[in-house]
Amino acid sequence: DGMPTCDFTIVGATGDLSLRKLVPALYRREAEDQLRPGTRIIGVSRSDLDDDGYRAVVGEALAHHIGDELDPVVVVRLLARVHHLVLDAATPDGWHLLHHLLKEGDPDAVRVFYLATAPALFGPICHRLDEIGVVDPSARVVLEKPIGTDLASARAVNDAVGQVFDEQQIFRIDHYLGKESVQNLLVTRFANTFLEPLWNSRWVDHVQITVSETLGVGERGDYYDGSGALRDMVQNHLLQLLCLVAMEPPTYVGRETVRDEKLKVLQALKPMSADDVDRDTVRGRYGQGLADGVAVPSYTEELGRPGSATETFVALRAEVQNWRWAGVPFYLRTGKRMDRKISEIVVVFKEPPHAMFPHHEGTQPSPAANRLHIQVQPDEGMQLHMTAKEPGPGGIRLRPVSLDLSYATAFDARMPDAYERLLMDVIRGNPTLFMRRDEVEAAWTWVEPILRRWSVTPDRPRRYPAGTSGPTAAATLIERDGRTWQESD
Ligand code: BG6
């Protein structure tokens, strides 16, 4: 499978992302024998831990996140690869130790530097790596979002990292792209013939993309309050989903071809004027309410900052100005502390052009528009909603029915976490599922006018009770166009 031996250095090795996502993903790949002999995992953090100390931390994280399935034999194999260095990006002290450790390894090992840190440290860490001379031409750096908080700061981060690594060496993670169901979007669209002829403004009425969560901001308040839902979710995950729904077929799936097509979609998004922002975006923030039946505090209470104007919910109406999609609205919404955790894409087709079935007073619903629900998570799958004849001798009665594809029943396999795929792609050197600099910057270019307008309007985010589907204004946003948010059953 083209997997080389690797020195996988994680900077920020004791942080939440490392322990919750990276370490379990590496464990899963170890269990599948995908890590080559000689591959090492080098944790770097400010925590005062030696190799064994960090191994204990990793062991605990695995017990917590893998649980009952944990295989002690695999754990021993994984831990034997693990090292730890106490380093601080703020000072040059000790970084030569990383140089020595890397020198001791397999000379052919691919060097991966995974920066699981605050983005403000991306530049300084790259600078340290450069200083100690460990960035060879096959080295790779992995960056987590957020890349910047607006276009200028994203450029500054990209410039700083770009001084040390070439663009081909930079892997920017949007973990949504690693989700099985998201990768399947391309396959659904382009490995089948029956959808593509309908996938345009002639037959599609509109598209909805919903990513709702039941969690609040919890421990992440410090980061989140400076970010908000637009930067945290829309600028990256929701726009990436939109790209995969709207893009043209590339000639083949290659390192740049998919990204080229996604970029064209981002560049075709209709820029929002101040009036557009006022009309086509809704900001919300959760108040007190319920999460899974338990009473929870409001966002500002959770945060302890009553003055905050940060949004925890966004709904907006976007348009892709190109031949395929002209005039088709894309409604996007995302929020924390909503009524359920679901990520889904709904493609709503136009009504049949002619109503040929007679209406019988009150008993005959007119055929509903066809809808394709693509469920990204949980319960990955797809439903095609259509109209059928209700069985019976009493003439033709129409009833809504659905074709239902569930991944769990169609495939007897564990659904790997997004990070498993993405980490292996980094080691293999396959950048297809990572965000290129121009994509990140095009996304910021589109998002920025919204941020700018929000920062000057006197309006505040609208309150919605925790455990609901967001502020009523979000329903109004779509209903004024004669449409409604589609919830899957
Ligand atoms: C992250 C955001 O990128 O995505 C979080 O920073 C959010 O705020 C998370 O909770 C959602 O990811 P998933 O995979 O749980 O849908």
Side-chain angles (χ1 to χ4, degrees):
D1 57 1
M3 196 66 73
T5 296
C6 171
D7 274 330
F8 198 94
T9 302
I10 304 175
V11 187
T14 53
D16 177 67
L17 175 77
S18 302
L19 299 179
R20 199 162 47 84
K21 290 291 184 183
L22 307 187
V23 160
L26 290 166
Y27 167 86
R28 294 283 189 188
R29 295 297 93 207
E30 176 78 85
E32 302 285 330
D33 275 327
Q34 242 189 338
L35 304 181
R36 284 276 166 276
T39 288
R40 297 182 299 172
I41 299 162
I42 302 171
V44 167
S45 78
R46 287 183 303 179
S47 308
D48 187 13
L49 295 168
D50 59 11
D51 288 353
D52 280 337
Y54 184 57
R55 284 177 188 137
V57 171
V58 168
E60 241 171 72
L62 290 175
H64 188 71
H65 295 291
I66 309 270
D68 290 349
E69 287 171 52
L70 203 63
D71 178 344
V73 178
V74 179
V75 175
V76 169
R77 252 165 44 212
L78 187 76
L79 291 185
R81 303 179 185 279
V82 169
H83 301 262
H84 185 265
L85 293 174
V86 187
L87 297 175
D88 184 345
T91 115
D93 300 348
W95 281 81
H96 64 280
L97 295 175
L98 179 58
H99 172 92
H100 292 318
L101 188 56
L102 288 172
K103 266 261 157 24
E104 280 167 16
D106 182 331
D108 293 328
V110 167
R111 290 176 181 171
V112 172
F113 301 100
Y114 197 116
L115 310 192
T117 66
L121 296 176
F122 292 169
I125 293 168
C126 289
H127 181 67
R128 298 279 170 241
L129 297 174
D130 194 29
E131 271 176 348
I132 59 171
V134 294
V135 180
D136 55 28
S138 68
R140 285 150 212 168
V141 67
V142 188
L143 310 179
E144 271 289 334
K145 64 164 267 277
I147 311 282
T149 53
D150 57 15
L151 182 58
S153 55
R155 283 195 173 134
V157 170
N158 284 329
D159 283 343
V161 175
Q163 279 171 13
V164 178
F165 292 91
D166 289 341
E167 180 63 24
Q168 299 89 289
Q169 298 177 284
I170 304 173
F171 289 69
R172 297 178 191 81
I173 290 218
D174 183 316
H175 77 283
Y176 265 62
L177 296 177
K179 291 184 191 276
E180 279 294 333
S181 48
V182 174
Q183 295 175 53
N184 187 46
L185 258 171
L186 282 189
V187 177
T188 301
R189 286 192 57 199
F190 301 133
N192 296 292
T193 45
F194 71 101
L195 280 176
E196 206 42 31
L198 305 179
W199 211 257
N200 55 52
S201 64
R202 178 129 189 243
W203 300 106
V204 173
D205 180 73
H206 72 282
V207 176
Q208 305 184 3
I209 302 178
T210 298
V211 177
S212 69
E213 301 182 87
T214 52
L215 289 177
V217 288
E219 309 287 294
R220 299 169 73 227
D222 272 343
Y223 151 73
Y224 194 88
D225 200 49
S227 169
L230 188 71
R231 290 185 174 101
D232 186 51
M233 297 295 287
V234 177
Q235 188 271 346
N236 35 78
H237 307 322
L238 277 90
L239 287 184
Q240 285 291 321
L241 293 178
L242 184 153
C243 284
L244 293 173
V245 171
M247 67 184 248
E248 297 301 318
T251 46
Y252 62 98
V253 178
R255 306 173 71 87
E256 307 301 341
T257 52
V258 175
R259 306 198 285 180
D260 288 343
E261 295 304 334
K262 287 193 297 166
L263 177 66
K264 288 181 204 161
V265 175
L266 292 168
Q267 289 169 335
L269 285 170
K270 183 176 165 221
M272 286 213 196
S273 66
D275 285 348
D276 295 338
V277 174
D278 293 347
R279 193 188 53 241
D280 292 338
T281 71
V282 172
R283 281 182 286 171
R285 186 171 58 210
Y286 60 84
Q288 294 175 351
L290 294 176
D292 301 320
V294 179
V296 290
S298 68
Y299 173 73
T300 45
E301 287 166 344
E302 211 173 318
L303 192 71
R305 275 182 224 158
S308 164
T310 300
E311 82 285 357
T312 63
F313 173 97
V314 186
L316 59 82
R317 181 188 191 280
E319 277 181 48
V320 179
Q321 291 183 305
N322 62 17
W323 189 281
R324 187 192 281 261
W325 294 116
V328 177
F330 285 74
Y331 300 96
L332 274 45
R333 61 177 173 162
T334 183
K336 301 263 182 217
R337 279 276 190 253
M338 294 182 60
D339 45 356
R340 54 188 181 155
K341 170 144 179 99
I342 193 168
S343 301
E344 85 171 337
I345 299 164
V346 185
V347 179
V348 181
F349 293 91
K350 293 196 167 160
E351 307 242 325
H354 167 63
M356 66 173 255
F357 297 102
H359 267 265
H360 304 296
E361 318 69 62
T363 60
Q364 181 76 322
S366 60
N370 291 135
R371 296 186 324 259
L372 181 66
H373 282 242
I374 302 168
Q375 199 142 320
V376 172
Q377 61 186 22
D379 305 331
E380 295 86 346
M382 249 179 258
Q383 297 97 39
L384 181 60
H385 293 268
M386 45 194 286
T387 302
K389 178 187 175 298
E390 190 179 271
I396 293 184
R397 284 171 197 274
L398 307 183
R399 284 289 172 255
V401 291
S402 68
L403 294 178
D404 202 337
L405 167 77
S406 140
Y407 262 53
T409 28
F411 303 100
D412 184 20
R414 182 182 70 86
M415 292 292 268
D417 186 72
Y419 279 91
E420 293 179 46
R421 168 72 195 262
L422 296 174
L423 298 191
M424 294 306 105
D425 277 358
V426 172
I427 299 177
R428 275 190 211 104
N430 177 2
T432 310
L433 297 180
F434 296 81
M435 306 222 281
R436 217 163 53 189
R437 174 173 185 157
D438 49 9
E439 282 181 85
V440 174
E441 294 183 4
W444 277 123
T445 302
W446 185 74
V447 159
E448 214 173 53
I450 305 175
L451 290 169
R452 214 177 302 131
R453 177 65 186 163
W454 283 357
S455 70
V456 298
T457 53
D459 303 351
R460 313 259 303 168
R462 292 160 198 266
R463 189 180 159 282
Y464 61 96
T468 64
S469 59
T472 48
T476 313
L477 173 83
I478 186 165
E479 282 164 11
R480 69 166 192 230
D481 293 348
R483 301 171 173 123
T484 51
W485 292 110
Q486 302 288 336
E487 312 283 349
S488 66
D489 332 309

